[in-house]
Amino acid sequence: MKLLRYGAPGAEKPGLLDTAGRVRDLSGVVADIAGDTLRPAGLKALRALDPETLPLVEGTPQDDLRLGACVGNIGKFICIGLNYADHAAEAGMPIPQEPIIFNKWTSAVVGPNDGIQIPRGSAKTDWEVELGVVIGQPGSYIDEANAMDHVAGFCVINDVSERDFQLNRAGTWDKGKGCDTFGPTGPWLVTPDEIADMDNMDMWLDVDGKRMQTGSTATLIFKIPHLISYCSQFMSLQAGDVISTGTPPGVGMGQKPQQFLHGGEVVTLGIAGLGAQKSKVLAA
């Protein structure tokens, strides 16, 4: 299944993408793509529906029909740093011995085609295409062998980052990661049964039509089951929590010379099987 949320910001309704690429309304079935809807029983109930019996929503998604973030009421937005071997090399940093965890504030979350706002005082706003993992079954101290039982689905995330705030303003990375609009999420939540090989998913990102990032989840240092298990040692994972699993090489900070976003650019990105995003960058 491909689950989504459509409509005006703050008033999104739950939906499902049918096999013809049309949106079907789920608001008569569930309140949102969030919480209990993402647990195994909730997904099973949605899977039992015949999409043809659901109301058809007018418009084309990501064209004249706005999509919001594919998960509503995200509780925790957990991010993993330096989790691609080739990106660590690009950054000139050693491969981590354990996953690096930081946070993106949920006020950063926007839809997959919403604008990215350059924050005041920014000189180094950067891009990062990432695979997002959405938790379905809650848990703590999750065994790696059972970790995938806790996954509701996958999605595309742009982990927009302000590198000066992140690296030069003292304290943790979080300062440069959670600015408003720094978390485009979606277009849809794709359930695991639709993913042939989560360890070999192609990823890409363009800025103004120029390919900047080309990668694959094949070069992940810490694989998804390990990340779920690892994170659950330090916090309980709840339905609707998101883990953004890291980015491949090609970020602006890694260019020679470095290249950053200043406003006016169009950033497009995607992951095979999960759809694509297209965001206009708005000047401060």
Side-chain angles (χ1 to χ4, degrees):
M1 289 186 299
K2 292 182 175 69
L3 302 174
L4 54 88
R5 301 169 67 249
Y6 70 92
E12 292 91 349
K13 296 181 180 180
L16 178 151
L17 193 73
D18 68 18
T19 56
R22 302 170 301 184
V23 174
R24 299 285 179 164
D25 180 43
L26 284 172
S27 58
V29 182
V30 294
D32 202 353
I33 307 300
D36 287 346
T37 300
L38 297 170
R39 290 178 180 241
L43 293 177
K44 183 179 179 180
L46 292 182
R47 198 171 286 114
L49 298 172
D50 178 0
E52 297 296 320
T53 66
L54 298 170
L56 183 64
V57 179
E58 291 186 6
T60 301
Q62 298 184 276
D63 185 0
D64 56 350
L65 177 62
R66 177 189 176 270
L67 299 184
C70 58
V71 181
N73 298 319
I74 296 172
K76 294 189 287 296
F77 202 132
I78 306 159
C79 298
I80 309 298
L82 294 176
N83 196 31
Y84 282 75
D86 36 10
H87 175 52
E90 169 187 59
M93 302 181 74
I95 291 176
Q97 297 301 303
E98 297 185 39
I100 296 172
I101 297 177
F102 60 92
N103 297 296
K104 189 177 284 286
W105 317 124
T106 56
S107 52
V109 176
V110 290
N113 294 79
D114 291 344
I116 295 170
Q117 178 70 55
I118 302 291
R120 294 180 184 177
S122 169
K124 297 182 178 181
T125 296
D126 205 347
W127 56 82
E128 295 190 5
V129 58
E130 304 206 0
L131 171 65
V133 178
V134 179
I135 298 299
Q137 179 62 37
S140 299
Y141 303 104
I142 297 167
D143 289 334
E144 189 170 333
N146 302 322
M148 294 308 298
D149 294 340
H150 294 261
V151 175
F154 303 95
C155 63
V156 180
I157 290 172
N158 187 356
D159 176 20
V160 185
S161 308
E162 212 297 335
R163 302 302 187 186
D164 188 49
F165 297 178
Q166 175 189 354
L167 300 172
N168 300 323
R169 295 289 295 274
T172 66
W173 288 6
D174 302 335
K175 288 181 182 178
K177 294 289 189 172
C179 302
D180 288 358
T181 75
F182 272 25
T185 302
W188 21 79
L189 172 68
V190 181
T191 52
D193 55 291
E194 293 204 11
I195 306 301
D197 184 0
M198 65 182 179
D199 293 325
N200 191 25
M201 301 174 72
D202 292 333
M203 315 165 68
W204 58 273
L205 182 145
D206 295 349
V207 178
D208 287 339
K210 181 181 179 181
R211 182 60 45 92
M212 306 303 294
Q213 288 187 273
T214 301
S216 168
T217 55
T219 64
L220 276 168
I221 298 167
F222 302 107
K223 302 296 185 182
I224 294 167
H226 181 76
L227 292 176
I228 294 168
S229 176
Y230 185 86
C231 290
S232 77
Q233 310 305 306
F234 303 100
M235 67 198 87
S236 63
L237 297 178
Q238 306 295 328
D241 286 349
V242 173
I243 302 175
S244 198
T245 57
T247 198
V251 300
M253 184 173 61
Q255 305 297 313
K256 299 185 188 315
Q258 292 183 338
Q259 178 179 336
F260 298 108
L261 302 170
H262 300 287
E265 303 92 343
V266 175
V267 180
T268 54
L269 59 146
I271 300 177
L274 300 183
Q277 301 182 0
K278 183 177 182 179
S279 298
K280 182 72 175 288
V281 182
L282 309 174

